[in-house]
Amino acid sequence: MDTRRLHLLLALSRLGSMRAVAETHRLTTSTVSQQIAALAREAGTPLIEPEGRRVRLTPAGRRLADHAVTILAAVDAARLDLDPDAEPVGTLRVGGFATGIRVSLLPIVADLARRHPGIEVVISEYEPREAFALLADDDLDLALTYDYDLAPAAPGPVLEPVALWSARWGLGVRAGDATGPDVALADFAEHTWIVNSRNTADEDAVRTLGALAGFTPRIAHQIDSLDLVEDLITAGYGVGLLPLDRPTAAGVDVLPLRDHTVTLTAYAVTRVGRSTWPPLRAVLDGLRPDDAPSQARWPRPTARERPGTALTDPA
């Protein structure tokens, strides 16, 4: 199969229209259509089908587009192996939670652009479940996700995680409501609890903690922003989990849990077999801590803790 045609098929799977592919590759729509038709003849099966005034990939077309990523990555890897001075080129689609983007991705973007100007990074914010689905559908190349040790995530067999860093969490309470340097959860059994509105891991961790302490948390508020969680705590609307090392607003204390620990771990997640694609590999090399394994075992790989990391928002 002609790799140029595979490029066009992959672009069609991502962009969704012949016209968009033609504009991206500076071709005519007719040329793109002819090349896809030629690829279908090479494959021996239809790759596209009508959908209203547009076209969409057939199931065979989607499978071939999926294979095209691995095939083209292997071709790029071979080219780079033969020509070590060649630059990785391509658009890398990254999606993830805000803190992961701030802590892990943004610090390396400027250096990445300087070393590899042919890589364009496109960033979107997603919660882990959203990012897993987009990765599985090949709508993202890299996801920055998180889970808690008490609520491990399950991204699926086609996705491959690498642990990046971890951070301990405690209980956020209104200043003065706790009597010591740490807290017993049972002391807050009658309080209203605040959890994340876009990801269930936070609520799962809270419910597990409550069960271990012998009570069922009364969850009434679902909030996406940690700043807003703090505002509700200050106003007396409840308590909730917050990062221990994150600077908080006046009126909020974040205290270690006396009987249990809660650890958030951040991950870089890719589709299995995709990490050798040169643009993705360049970003992963910058994201990985020196002591992280090249392939982490889900859901609880060992991750380096970053003391003093100022988490700003897990959502």
Side-chain angles (χ1 to χ4, degrees):
M1 293 183 184
D2 191 322
T3 57
R4 294 171 298 177
R5 292 168 183 163
L6 288 175
H7 272 292
L8 295 177
L9 181 70
L10 184 57
L12 181 59
S13 74
R14 291 176 170 177
L15 299 175
S17 76
M18 294 281 194
R19 176 178 295 181
V21 175
E23 291 175 351
T24 299
H25 289 266
R26 298 180 181 178
L27 300 170
T28 66
T29 303
S30 176
T31 298
V32 174
S33 179
Q34 292 170 8
Q35 293 300 309
I36 296 296
L39 183 61
R41 289 193 295 271
E42 292 176 347
T45 185
L47 300 177
I48 60 174
E49 60 188 4
E51 185 180 37
R53 299 178 63 182
R54 305 177 69 180
V55 297
R56 65 183 178 187
L57 297 185
T58 63
R62 289 194 296 272
R63 289 196 297 273
L64 183 55
D66 198 46
H67 285 299
V69 176
T70 303
I71 293 168
L72 296 173
V75 171
D76 280 346
R79 177 178 57 82
L80 288 174
D81 187 51
L82 297 173
D83 183 6
D85 295 327
E87 280 294 319
V89 175
T91 298
L92 185 73
R93 302 161 300 168
V94 183
F97 70 115
T99 296
I101 292 170
R102 292 188 184 112
V103 171
S104 296
L105 183 64
L106 291 184
I108 72 168
V109 168
D111 181 61
L112 182 74
R114 185 168 52 254
R115 291 187 296 110
H116 302 297
I119 299 177
E120 179 185 5
V121 180
V122 178
I123 304 171
S124 303
E125 183 183 356
Y126 296 110
E127 281 295 316
R129 285 189 175 182
E130 299 168 325
F132 293 150
L134 291 167
L135 271 178
D137 290 341
D138 202 26
D139 291 323
L140 282 180
D141 301 304
L142 171 65
L144 298 175
T145 71
Y146 68 92
D147 71 358
Y148 298 98
D149 52 352
L150 294 179
V158 300
L159 303 182
E160 181 176 60
V162 172
L164 299 179
W165 48 265
S166 61
R168 291 179 60 215
W169 283 48
L171 185 65
V173 303
R174 187 166 53 181
D177 282 358
T179 58
D182 56 16
V183 293
L185 279 177
D187 293 342
F188 292 86
E190 301 303 318
H191 282 62
T192 296
W193 286 73
I194 308 165
V195 299
N196 191 302
S197 62
R198 293 173 57 204
N199 189 36
T200 60
D202 191 65
E203 180 174 345
D204 291 343
V206 166
R207 292 192 182 280
T208 299
L209 286 169
L212 291 171
F215 71 96
T216 300
R218 183 164 55 93
I219 295 172
H221 310 295
Q222 295 179 321
I223 304 297
D224 186 37
S225 163
L226 288 188
D227 291 335
L228 184 53
V229 171
E230 289 185 5
D231 291 341
L232 265 66
I233 291 173
T234 302
Y237 283 102
V239 298
L241 297 177
L242 289 171
L244 282 169
D245 293 330
R246 176 181 181 269
T248 57
V252 176
D253 291 333
V254 183
L255 304 174
L257 303 177
R258 188 175 303 163
D259 302 319
H260 306 283
T261 61
V262 178
T263 301
L264 176 147
T265 300
Y267 306 89
V269 187
T270 61
R271 284 179 63 101
V272 172
R274 301 291 176 83
S275 60
T276 57
W277 181 44
L280 181 54
R281 184 176 59 195
V283 173
L284 289 173
D285 287 345
L287 291 175
R288 287 191 183 105
D290 294 338
D291 58 353
S294 58
Q295 292 188 1
R297 180 178 301 172
W298 200 273
R300 297 300 342 142
T302 301
R304 172 175 73 176
E305 183 163 349
R306 288 187 177 177
T309 296
L311 292 179
T312 52
D313 198 334

